[in-house]
Amino acid sequence: MSPAASIAQPANASAHVPRYHTAGGRAFNFNAGPSILPEEVIRTFQEDMWNFRGSGLGILEHSHRDKWFDELLFETIDLVRKVGSIPKNYHVLFMTGGSSSQNFIVPYNLLPKGRTADYIDTDFWSSRSIDDARQFGVPVHVAFTGKSEKYTRVPAPSEITFSDNPAYVHFTSNNTIYGTQFRSEPTPPSNGAYLVCDACSDIFSRPIDFTKYGLVYASVQKNLGITGATLVVVRDDLVQNSNADVPRMLQYRTMVKEESRPNTPPHFAIYSASVMMRWILAQGGLPAIEKRNHEKAGVIYAALDASGGFYRPHAEKNSRSVMNITFRLANEDLETRFLNDASSAGLMGMKGHRATGGCRVSIYNAFPIEGCRALAEFMGDFARKNG
Ligand SMILES: *Cc1c(COP(=O)(O)O)cnc(C)c1O
């Protein structure tokens, strides 16, 4: 055996040809994150892993301080700014630790001593943000919780009760696990409180007005590329006034000063975001992406609604997410059969989160409408056979 062969992946013995496949001959990927990448983006990764921009080295092997990476980093930041129309007084940072670590990094940096922070609880992830903030010692005020209703919807503005003088209002724009989504952002009380948004699973799925936010964070692995980095967009005055007694590696101030590389950054994840940003621009930018996402989700919700109760959507209609669609079938056995049959038909990754069970269909920006049509057809066939 040659040395190259000895480290190759084991061959897949199955010769099964699935009913559905993408234009590139792969399965449709409904995973919630890490998740689908556009096929042309993966092809670009392949080339750049071998020889990045004629440098003679692959991107994975470049130093994070050489001129190629310098160029790439600033280009990526410019591309993120361009895609998101991010105003000049906001910083674009790449951090590590995932969206999850922002649960304590945000209050550590931004919450002045003695101030309260308000949280809107609409999902597993927002309730995790609350738990982590409390554990960190943050005086948390829960301004709304959908827990007793099993997180089937997001609140109307009149249902949100803010505390007297919160420093910020935290909310999760898209609820990845229960499949609900805010149509527009909540309005914080008008005493200087700003919005902090966990936009992990719907960032750049639609236009976003950053001027309404103090800070927005999103792990790269859902709509922006691969896992390993977290995009943080933060207003400059908040960084200027941030707490000083924060360990260097966790300070937004350090990240600004050191251009997101106070140590070795997750450079392939940052690179992946640059390719994804080019892809988004080639699709026509966020207005075009938003339109496509509504069409895609519409195809699947129509199939759910036409099933006469065979599929049972979790979210209330006016809170439905266009990124993550969740539903159940009559019982767990039927769900298991549905997921297995779908998987062998080439529709992969629809098992619900362990917190909810059931099925979850994630159709991030990269997911093609052909896959939504394939799923709708499959759902109809499966319901007829098993209804
Ligand atoms: C996936 C997700 C997270 C967790 O992201 P990590 O990168 O794994 O920390 C947090 N919030 C939301 C809304 C998510 O979808």
Side-chain angles (χ1 to χ4, degrees), residues 82-357:
K82 186 167 178 196
V83 167
S85 304
I86 299 174
K88 282 210 170 61
N89 61 324
Y90 286 73
H91 298 284
V92 172
L93 308 174
F94 290 100
M95 298 181 70
T96 53
S99 292
S100 302
S101 295
Q102 296 298 318
N103 289 346
F104 71 92
I105 297 175
V106 168
Y108 207 172
N109 281 270
L110 302 188
L111 190 66
K113 299 261 176 319
R115 293 286 296 278
T116 300
D118 285 10
Y119 283 74
I120 299 174
D121 178 24
T122 48
D123 190 60
F124 174 94
W125 289 118
S126 55
S127 103
R128 177 61 72 74
S129 296
I130 291 169
D131 291 347
D132 285 357
R134 279 200 173 119
Q135 196 229 10
F136 192 65
V138 173
V140 167
H141 167 78
V142 178
F144 171 85
T145 176
K147 189 170 185 184
S148 64
E149 295 176 35
K150 299 207 168 79
Y151 298 122
T152 48
R153 63 187 184 90
V154 296
S158 61
E159 295 174 291
I160 304 172
T161 319
F162 295 113
S163 65
D164 284 344
N165 188 21
Y168 62 78
V169 174
H170 179 282
F171 81 110
T172 303
S173 50
N174 180 69
N175 298 295
T176 325
I177 289 175
Y178 288 87
T180 64
Q181 186 176 24
F182 281 84
R183 293 284 166 273
S184 60
E185 51 280 283
T187 308
S190 57
N191 54 3
Y194 53 88
L195 288 175
V196 170
C197 181
D198 174 352
C200 190
S201 53
D202 71 349
I203 183 116
F204 293 170
S205 66
R206 56 183 174 187
I208 163 171
D209 180 357
F210 280 93
T211 62
K212 294 185 175 165
Y213 298 80
L215 186 146
V216 176
Y217 61 86
S219 313
V220 169
Q221 71 267 17
K222 284 162 189 160
N223 258 342
L224 306 175
I226 68 149
T227 186
T230 311
L231 173 70
V232 175
V233 178
V234 57
R235 218 171 62 205
D236 179 59
D237 62 296
L238 299 174
V239 176
Q240 298 298 334
N241 297 323
S242 60
N243 297 329
D245 59 345
V246 176
R248 189 180 62 89
M249 287 297 296
L250 296 177
Q251 283 187 30
Y252 294 131
R253 206 181 276 113
T254 308
M255 291 296 149
V256 169
K257 196 167 126 236
E258 307 276 344
E259 302 156 334
S260 297
R261 44 184 176 177
N263 66 335
T264 318
H267 74 335
F268 193 76
I270 295 171
Y271 155 83
S272 77
S274 80
V275 185
M276 276 301 288
M277 291 308 107
R278 285 182 205 289
W279 181 84
I280 290 176
L281 292 172
Q283 307 301 304
L286 298 189
I289 288 275
E290 178 179 38
K291 187 162 169 283
R292 268 176 35 140
N293 284 335
H294 277 280
E295 280 166 20
K296 283 156 47 183
V299 169
I300 297 170
Y301 282 118
L304 287 176
D305 291 339
S307 77
F310 185 83
Y311 301 104
R312 303 157 186 202
H314 180 77
E316 282 189 11
K317 273 195 178 159
N318 54 9
S319 291
R320 285 175 165 180
S321 167
V322 300
M323 295 276 98
N324 311 95
I325 299 168
T326 54
F327 57 92
R328 305 218 58 149
L329 281 71
N331 57 64
E332 283 184 20
D333 286 348
L334 199 56
E335 286 170 352
T336 305
R337 200 176 332 142
F338 175 80
L339 293 169
N340 288 341
D341 287 7
S343 192
S344 33
L347 306 171
M348 295 175 70
M350 292 193 284
K351 194 169 166 35
H353 188 269
R354 57 201 146 81
T356 56

